[in-house]
Amino acid sequence: LGAWAGPSVFTQVNEINAVDSLQQQIGRKLSIVHTYLKWQAPFPTTSDEAFLSQGSTLLISWAGTDTRQIISGADDSWIRTRARQIKALGKPVFLEWRWEMDRPNLQDQVHSGADYIAAWDHIRAIFASVGVHNAAWVWCPTGEGFTDGRAAAFYPGDDEVDWICADAYPYGSYVSFASTVDPFLSWASHHDKPVMIGEFGVPESDTGPQRAQWLRAAQQVVLADHQIKALLYFDADSSGHIAYALNDAAALAAFRSIAEQPYFNPAGIR
């Protein structure tokens, strides 16, 4: 079980405090802390090191640059630098390069499924040449991309992916977690890979009891599908986007109930 805990104003200290606050509210440390990393941003940050020090595993969502630029080799030196930084951590991490690549608003950067796959393979080959063995490669399109069939075209193949993932949000009117993830889980069932829900959330626009009910129903979906091995909430209010923060008592209690169950905490983390 993990989360992105987004502070209202982003600083390293605020990010650490946001994670600490969520952990105190649910009564345990997060197994996975989700972080977002721009293409050439410094790494590791103070907050990255703090989360690793507390025993959590990082899910690093690494934003990409133009896929065709990557394929050309123009960024090889930088990719090699990033590979060395991740190797130097000496701890396992999840690496999610250019998540939600199937979003239409990323087409100018991603171009096509073929371009994305070629860029993914190019980056992986450089990481392999550097000897990076502590990164599990997570492929994570939108859950919506399995409803309309666009996501599969971006899949690099079972040989190039360690975990398959989807970001699952109930876009539009009130929609269950099951309806949001079922097309993805159906597709995933044909691939012998562990499944991650990299982001999910229930909008603040729903009432507290509705949010709690939605989360309890989501828990049952996960319990029923043992291919799902990781579940991460998006605990944030994003400017200009739908807000999902666990800022009401009912929703927070429902999420804490998930966190307290042994199934979602097999290592007994406290």
Side-chain angles (χ1 to χ4, degrees), residues 214-236:
W214 192 95
L215 285 165
R216 288 193 294 268
Q219 171 185 301
Q220 294 308 312
V221 172
V222 177
L223 288 171
D225 191 325
H226 289 183
Q227 194 176 0
I228 302 175
K229 301 297 185 185
L231 179 70
L232 291 94
Y233 194 84
F234 190 86
D235 182 27

Side-chain angles (χ1 to χ4, degrees), residues 8-167:
S8 55
V9 177
F10 186 84
T11 66
Q12 291 296 307
V13 171
N14 286 353
E15 186 176 8
I16 293 169
N17 289 341
V19 169
D20 286 345
S21 176
L22 178 60
Q23 291 179 152
Q24 290 169 11
Q25 289 172 319
I26 65 174
R28 55 164 283 197
K29 292 177 181 175
L30 295 167
S31 301
I32 307 170
V33 175
H34 196 172
T35 65
Y36 294 87
L37 181 64
K38 293 182 179 179
W39 181 241
Q40 293 192 358
F43 180 84
T45 63
T46 303
S47 59
D48 294 328
E49 291 172 339
F51 303 144
L52 289 169
S53 294
Q54 73 169 17
S56 298
T57 301
L58 295 180
L59 168 61
I60 305 165
S61 285
W62 183 23
T65 187
D66 190 286
T67 58
R68 292 175 182 173
Q69 180 174 319
I70 293 170
I71 296 163
S72 75
D75 284 336
D76 284 6
S77 177
W78 170 249
I79 296 168
R80 196 168 291 110
T81 296
R82 182 69 87 208
R84 293 191 184 109
Q85 291 170 344
I86 290 176
K87 180 180 180 179
L89 293 176
K91 296 180 179 180
V93 298
F94 295 108
L95 184 58
E96 187 182 69
W97 177 69
R98 190 51 281 167
W99 70 101
E100 298 186 0
M101 75 302 294
D102 60 311
R103 288 196 334 242
N105 68 333
L106 290 175
Q107 187 172 359
D108 288 347
Q109 182 186 84
V110 174
H111 300 293
S112 69
D115 288 308
Y116 177 82
I117 291 167
W120 174 285
D121 291 348
H122 191 86
I123 293 170
R124 281 215 61 172
I126 292 174
F127 271 62
S129 72
V130 173
V132 179
H133 300 297
N134 59 317
W137 291 80
V138 181
W139 177 74
C140 201
T142 65
E144 198 176 22
F146 293 92
T147 301
D148 60 22
R150 69 176 184 257
F154 297 86
Y155 187 55
D158 288 350
D159 291 344
E160 294 293 331
V161 172
D162 298 316
W163 286 63
I164 52 178
C165 171
D167 290 346

